[in-house]
Amino acid sequence: QKEVEQDPGPLSVPEGAIVSLNCTYSNSAFQYFMWYRQYSRKGPELLMYTYSSGNKEDGRFTAQVDKSSKYISLFIRDSQPSDSATYLCAMSLGNQFYFGTGTSLTVIP
Amino acid sequence: EAGVVQSPRYKIIEKKQPVAFWCNPISGHNTLYWYLQNLGQGPELLIRYENEEAVDDSQLPKDRFSAERLKGVDSTLKIQPAELGDSAVYLCASSPDRGRINEQFFGPGTRLTVL
């Protein structure tokens, strides 16, 4: 079993839709929970990180962590074509990082 | 603030040839990572440096891979000899001080193709 599981998609939505991206994990000791966005032929870009269970909002993006269920989500409101990218979840334990496989998202104008 | 710089961006070599990748992290970032990313996969750590010290190289295939960060700033990752299975994107990332270790900043990567 992988430490972090993420549905690779692909996910295709119309512009303006609410997008939900999810990851599950197995190690309850993970401390930080991150979401990265990766455009084609670019490196991952850190979008948000959270430490505890609950929600964290940044503009159109909301990160949600449920430690009891070992489940994290990223919600994108009013999705735009520029949001089309691969979204990677990641978790850290000390200085070690564990990445999901990424979910490919396409927002159709 | 300049981002993480990597070169070359693309490299095509024949198997058994050597290859080297270079990374210059964000100024002041003490922690430097080298990752390997295969198509459709997340990054996988190869080696992590704290200043000039390699503190985690457990996933580095030491028979053919080597890395150095001599002055605790820029770093080089080398493969010798390259194999077909080494075709991937090699990402470099850096983090600021220990209190913000979860904030990793990635470079654009070097896409290696081994023929």
Side-chain angles (χ1 to χ4, degrees):
Chain A
Q1 183 187 12
K2 286 187 176 181
E3 298 268 12
V4 179
E5 298 279 357
Q6 183 174 11
D7 186 340
L11 186 61
S12 184
V13 301
E15 182 175 355
I18 296 174
V19 176
S20 173
L21 304 167
N22 311 295
C23 289
T24 59
Y25 61 95
S26 56
N27 192 339
S28 58
F30 284 142
Q31 297 163 311
Y32 284 91
F33 305 88
M34 281 92 35
W35 285 97
Y36 289 83
R37 177 175 61 196
Q38 186 172 24
Y39 291 114
S40 180
R41 299 187 180 272
K42 301 287 187 181
E45 170 195 9
L46 180 64
L47 283 175
M48 301 176 67
Y49 67 90
T50 57
Y51 179 74
S52 58
S53 284
N55 294 351
K56 182 177 181 180
E57 189 173 317
D58 184 0
R60 297 184 295 110
F61 298 89
T62 299
Q64 187 175 82
V65 175
D66 182 347
K67 287 189 173 182
S68 62
S69 301
K70 298 189 181 69
Y71 189 87
I72 70 170
S73 299
L74 178 70
F75 299 97
I76 307 174
R77 293 186 301 279
D78 187 25
S79 56
Q80 302 296 310
S82 59
D83 295 328
S84 298
T86 295
Y87 290 81
L88 296 154
C89 63
M91 297 158 199
S92 69
L93 181 61
N95 294 330
Q96 293 183 316
F97 291 80
Y98 301 84
F99 287 84
T101 56
T103 299
S104 176
L105 170 68
T106 300
V107 180
I108 303 169
Chain B
E1 180 181 69
V4 176
V5 178
Q6 289 188 250
S7 69
R9 291 294 315 277
Y10 304 91
K11 189 73 176 180
I12 301 174
I13 61 172
E14 294 188 347
K15 62 180 181 182
K16 300 185 181 180
Q17 294 299 306
V19 64
F21 314 125
W22 178 79
C23 172
N24 193 28
I26 293 173
S27 178
H29 283 197
N30 298 325
T31 305
L32 184 147
Y33 309 78
W34 282 103
Y35 288 92
L36 177 154
Q37 186 176 27
N38 286 304
L39 187 64
Q41 301 294 317
E44 299 173 22
L45 181 70
L46 289 171
I47 189 167
R48 173 170 63 89
Y49 282 93
E50 293 288 346
N51 298 304
E52 66 274 9
E53 182 183 1
V55 296
D56 185 355
D57 63 356
S58 57
Q59 302 303 312
L60 189 72
K62 298 181 183 63
D63 57 336
R64 298 184 300 106
F65 286 66
S66 64
E68 60 182 15
R69 193 185 185 197
L70 293 176
K71 297 183 179 179
V73 180
D74 58 343
S75 175
T76 302
L77 177 70
K78 298 178 181 177
I79 309 175
Q80 183 172 8
E83 297 179 352
L84 295 176
D86 296 332
S87 294
V89 176
Y90 291 82
L91 294 164
C92 179
S94 68
S95 292
D97 58 53
R98 290 180 179 273
R100 296 168 57 194
I101 199 72
N102 53 293
E103 295 180 34
Q104 286 190 77
F105 296 85
F106 283 85
T110 296
R111 184 176 297 270
L112 174 67
T113 302
V114 182
L115 302 175

